[in-house]
């Protein structure tokens, strides 16, 4: 099954909530023909499908527990294989959240060619998420929850970035600039992949 995706580029896209990584992923899909996969979106879709796996996932998430790593990896791999015939590569959004996840991903699926770090300051991300909260209706778009999410994000992501910096595949882009300037930096990183 993993043979179908051999030779395709894999890009891990990390950035805090509100950093603009979703916007940059959309632009990469349009320019490069990559497939954008978010583990959170895949989990929500599976739950919404009402499948047996979806029901099990819903029960886990309702208890506030984390979905087992193997389950998340299986879902990502299934989604990658499903798009293998039409995709030029894969953007794995918001993943890995810890070094162990990256290591397991590589054992089961493959190594990333690039870790794209979409970076914005804490105050900028809070401001963007508060603005999104005005229209999104998302319960987690309030200041207290946002600050907790940012703290968790920084604690979890710093070791991941350090791990991949050791391999020389991290490219950091400043997402505080206008969207098109950010994308110019993103495109330079993607074009420079080995």
């Amino acid at each position: 099954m993993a043979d179908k995706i051999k030779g395709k580029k894999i890009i891990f896209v990390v950035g805090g909530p509100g950093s603009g990584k979703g916007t940059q992923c959309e632009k990469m899909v349009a320019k490069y023909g990559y497939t954008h996969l978010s583990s959170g979106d895949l989990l929500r879709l599976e739950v919404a499908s009402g499948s047996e796996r979806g029901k099990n996932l819903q029960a886990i998430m309702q208890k506030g527990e984390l979905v087992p790593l193997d389950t998340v990896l299986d879902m990502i791999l299934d989604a990658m294989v499903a798009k293998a015939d039409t995709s030029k590569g894969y953007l794995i959004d918001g993943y890995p959240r810890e070094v162990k996840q990256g290591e397991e991903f590589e054992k089961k699926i493959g190594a990333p060619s690039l870790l794209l770090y979409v970076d914005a300051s804490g105050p900028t991300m809070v401001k963007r998420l508060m603005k999104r909260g005005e229209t999104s209706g998302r319960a987690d778009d309030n200041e207290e929850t946002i600050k907790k999410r940012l703290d968790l994000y920084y604690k979890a992501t710093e070791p991941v970035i350090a791990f991949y910096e050791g391999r020389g595949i991290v490219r950091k882009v400043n997402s505080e600039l206008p969207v098109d300037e950010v994308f110019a930096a993103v495109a330079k990183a993607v074009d420079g992949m080995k």
Side-chain angles (χ1 to χ4, degrees), residues 21-96:
K21 68 183 181 337
T23 301
Q24 294 305 317
C25 283
E26 284 172 25
K27 290 183 154 302
M28 284 187 281
V29 167
K31 178 170 179 162
Y32 295 102
Y34 278 33
T35 298
H36 178 203
L37 298 172
S38 151
S39 54
D41 289 349
L42 290 171
L43 289 168
R44 286 186 284 278
L45 280 170
E46 190 73 37
V47 168
S49 78
S51 70
E52 199 55 45
R53 180 160 71 178
K55 288 176 187 152
N56 292 337
L57 291 173
Q58 187 169 21
I60 292 167
M61 292 188 296
Q62 278 175 337
K63 288 184 214 156
E65 295 171 5
L66 290 176
V67 174
L69 181 54
D70 276 347
T71 305
V72 175
L73 285 175
D74 286 344
M75 292 174 68
I76 291 172
L77 180 58
D78 290 349
M80 290 172 79
V81 169
K83 299 283 190 184
D85 295 335
T86 56
S87 185
K88 300 223 177 353
Y90 301 95
L91 305 172
I92 311 298
D93 181 349
Y95 197 91

Side-chain angles (χ1 to χ4, degrees), residues 114-133:
L114 175 69
L115 183 142
L116 185 65
Y117 177 20
V118 182
D119 187 38
S121 70
T124 295
M125 290 190 279
V126 169
K127 196 167 78 185
R128 287 177 180 172
L129 291 171
M130 292 297 291
K131 189 163 178 52
R132 183 178 82 182

Side-chain angles (χ1 to χ4, degrees), residues 96-158:
R97 294 197 176 191
E98 54 190 42
V99 172
K100 184 181 185 316
Q101 288 180 342
E103 291 172 336
E104 290 300 313
F105 183 100
E106 292 185 41
K107 277 185 210 154
K108 195 167 196 166
I109 299 172
S113 303
L114 175 69
L115 183 142
L116 185 65
Y117 177 20
V118 182
D119 187 38
S121 70
T124 295
M125 290 190 279
V126 169
K127 196 167 78 185
R128 287 177 180 172
L129 291 171
M130 292 297 291
K131 189 163 178 52
R132 183 178 82 182
E134 292 167 14
T135 56
S136 72
R138 278 180 57 162
D140 57 355
D141 282 346
N142 65 70
E143 195 155 358
E144 191 179 323
T145 307
I146 288 167
K147 287 189 171 153
K148 279 186 194 157
R149 285 166 62 203
L150 285 174
D151 284 346
L152 279 172
Y153 162 73
Y154 286 120
K155 281 186 188 116
T157 309
E158 283 166 4

